[in-house]
Amino acid sequence: MQYQGEKINWGILGCGNIARKFSEALAYLPEAHIQAVGSRNLKKAQEFGQSYQVNKSYGSYEDLVRDPDIEIIYVATPHNFHLQHSLLCLENGKAVLCEKPITVNAFQSRQLVQAAKEHQLFLMEALWMRFLPAMAKLREWLQEAIIGEIYLVKADFCIRRDLDPNSRLFNLQLAGGALLDVGIYPNSLAQMVFEKKPTSIYSTVKLGDTGVDEFSSYVLNYGQGEVALLTGGLRIQTTHHAEIFGTKGSILIPDFWKAQQATLRLEGQDPQTVDFPFECNGYEYEAREVMNCLRKGQTESLMMSLGESINIMQLMDEIRDQWGLKYPEDK
Ligand SMILES: NC(=O)c1ccc[n+]([C@@H]2O[C@H](COP(=O)([O-])OP(=O)(O)OC[C@H]3O[C@@H](n4cnc5c(N)ncnc54)[C@H](OP(=O)(O)O)[C@@H]3O)[C@@H](O)[C@H]2O)c1
């Protein structure tokens, strides 16, 4: 597939919350063009499209994926539809940026990655945190081993929401629960820092009335006692700090999942804080990475590889296995 036009033509599949934020970022980027939006409801698609000066709106996802001018589709439906909707795009010749988690489980992820390979099309999980400039700084510091040998990663991502059985977050049928929605961020961060799979996992869970995890914690052991202590939750608010501790110092990232700052603390030195304000709303960085990959003819991103997405799904499968939490998609 050649992407030679002045702008990359995007399609938006599903007109919910996050699709709005992502579309705002695409509208900000001069190299991006929103060609069309698709919803299960034409009126909703039209209203959404008007907000971002999009000319074409479709009242079904099937019509959207058949638009010949679309080059890449952003899939922004609930988790349990990611496989089905991403396959629909690939089978119609479209590259895919799919919201996190890429699928519900690792079995589905492998199926999706296989389909992308067969169609020789780009596929990436939209784990936007990974592309933020503050995270690029973190990776730079880690590569320099500036804080020495890393022993501990601590990160929490718990949000307080009222219990609403109809919300996607608490609905078992829509693959709700803290782990797949917010817990994926600290798990992804630990994976990024240690760059290997944990050798053992210990997790705890508080299951709610709707059958999903309302709060869960994960202790990931990385082999020789290096550890990640992580939490995800939907009913309590935590600080959202990530801290990485090494033998020569530590790194603090406030609001790590939407990071705009990182502080380096080295033994015997004043702390050094670096700010990375978003150019737009933070989603511009992942969109840029996707378009750079497309221009270079890559079918995956090195910053968020498909193998990495599968590894994270596998990790979350194992955690859910420990609790016996099954979704309809689990075999
Ligand atoms: N990267 C991030 O920062 C971030 C933040 C929030 C969410 N997310 C991810 O994005 C995905 C969507 O989350 P969201 O918060 O945007 O959800 P949302 O507001 O509920 O929107 C989801 C959209 O999916 C479509 N949909 C199709 N079938 C549906 C069904 N049976 N029930 C409900 N919606 C259905 C709907 O679009 P139409 O009605 O237009 O068809 C709906 O508006 C999730 O996988 C989530 O993990 C990512």
Side-chain angles (χ1 to χ4, degrees), residues 22-34:
F22 188 71
S23 298
E24 214 177 285
L26 287 184
Y28 162 82
L29 291 168
E31 66 270 40
H33 169 65
I34 308 178

Side-chain angles (χ1 to χ4, degrees), residues 35-326:
Q35 172 68 22
V37 303
S39 167
R40 295 162 302 164
N41 176 313
L42 180 59
K43 195 160 173 287
K44 186 175 170 189
Q46 285 167 338
E47 279 169 9
F48 186 100
Q50 272 164 15
S51 315
Y52 307 98
Q53 289 80 49
V54 181
N55 294 329
K56 280 200 204 162
S57 308
Y58 294 104
S60 83
Y61 301 152
E62 287 72 17
D63 287 344
L64 175 82
V65 299
R66 283 196 287 264
D67 183 319
D69 295 323
I70 293 176
E71 296 171 297
I72 175 152
I73 296 187
Y74 170 64
V75 173
T77 50
H79 319 335
N80 60 308
F81 297 114
H82 288 176
L83 175 66
Q84 180 193 334
H85 293 153
S86 297
L87 284 177
L88 180 70
C89 299
L90 293 170
E91 283 158 7
N92 282 276
K94 311 297 192 235
V96 174
L97 171 65
C98 178
E99 258 311 333
K100 42 62 52 176
I102 189 161
T103 52
V104 170
N105 54 39
F107 181 80
Q108 287 194 332
S109 307
R110 288 195 196 91
Q111 201 183 328
L112 184 56
V113 168
Q114 180 63 27
K117 288 201 189 327
E118 278 167 18
H119 290 281
Q120 296 180 304
L121 285 166
F122 179 86
L123 170 68
M124 192 182 94
E125 180 179 17
L127 232 156
W128 71 302
M129 171 188 82
R130 293 251 180 158
F131 308 96
L132 300 175
M135 286 293 157
K137 188 70 195 172
L138 169 63
R139 281 193 296 270
E140 196 184 300
W141 280 336
L142 295 176
Q143 267 155 24
E144 292 166 8
I146 204 159
I147 58 168
E149 193 186 342
I150 292 164
Y151 279 29
L152 171 65
V153 172
K154 289 204 290 186
D156 63 272
F157 190 178
C158 302
I159 52 174
R160 201 214 157 272
R161 296 284 183 269
D162 288 333
L163 175 57
D164 173 5
N166 297 317
S167 147
R168 158 182 95 63
L169 292 179
F170 294 98
N171 187 333
L172 190 77
Q173 303 305 314
L174 297 180
L179 174 62
L180 295 198
D181 208 80
V182 284
I184 186 172
Y185 286 91
N187 279 296
S188 175
L189 181 82
Q191 188 86 354
M192 194 182 94
V193 172
F194 286 113
E195 292 185 302
K196 57 186 176 186
K197 292 184 191 179
T199 49
S200 65
I201 300 167
Y202 173 75
S203 67
T204 62
V205 68
K206 184 165 173 55
L207 290 173
D209 292 343
T210 62
V212 304
D213 56 312
E214 288 187 357
F215 175 65
S216 39
S217 68
Y218 334 102
V219 179
L220 312 182
N221 173 12
Y222 282 90
Q224 319 228 307
E226 304 94 328
V227 80
L229 305 177
L230 317 169
T231 57
L234 298 174
R235 301 278 287 129
I236 57 168
Q237 188 71 34
T238 57
T239 51
H240 301 180
H241 284 350
E243 273 184 290
I244 300 156
F245 298 87
T247 49
K248 295 182 183 165
S250 65
I251 297 167
L252 167 70
I253 307 182
D255 281 326
F256 73 98
W257 59 279
K258 53 173 181 177
Q260 297 194 67
Q261 191 184 81
T263 298
L264 175 65
R265 291 195 176 101
L266 294 177
E267 279 301 311
Q269 295 183 25
D270 287 339
Q272 178 195 337
T273 295
V274 196
D275 289 302
F276 300 92
F278 295 157
E279 287 171 48
C280 176
N281 62 2
Y283 294 88
E284 60 277 21
Y285 305 105
E286 72 176 350
R288 240 185 227 143
E289 167 67 4
V290 170
M291 292 188 283
N292 287 339
C293 289
L294 292 179
R295 294 266 188 230
K296 288 190 216 150
Q298 290 173 219
T299 50
E300 67 181 295
S301 161
L302 296 176
M303 286 170 79
M304 185 71 231
S305 72
L306 295 169
E308 182 78 334
S309 289
I310 292 173
N311 285 344
I312 294 168
M313 285 315 310
Q314 237 170 356
L315 171 63
M316 298 198 297
D317 281 0
E318 193 174 330
I319 291 171
R320 284 197 298 115
D321 274 351
Q322 293 187 359
W323 315 330
L325 172 53
K326 294 245 175 265

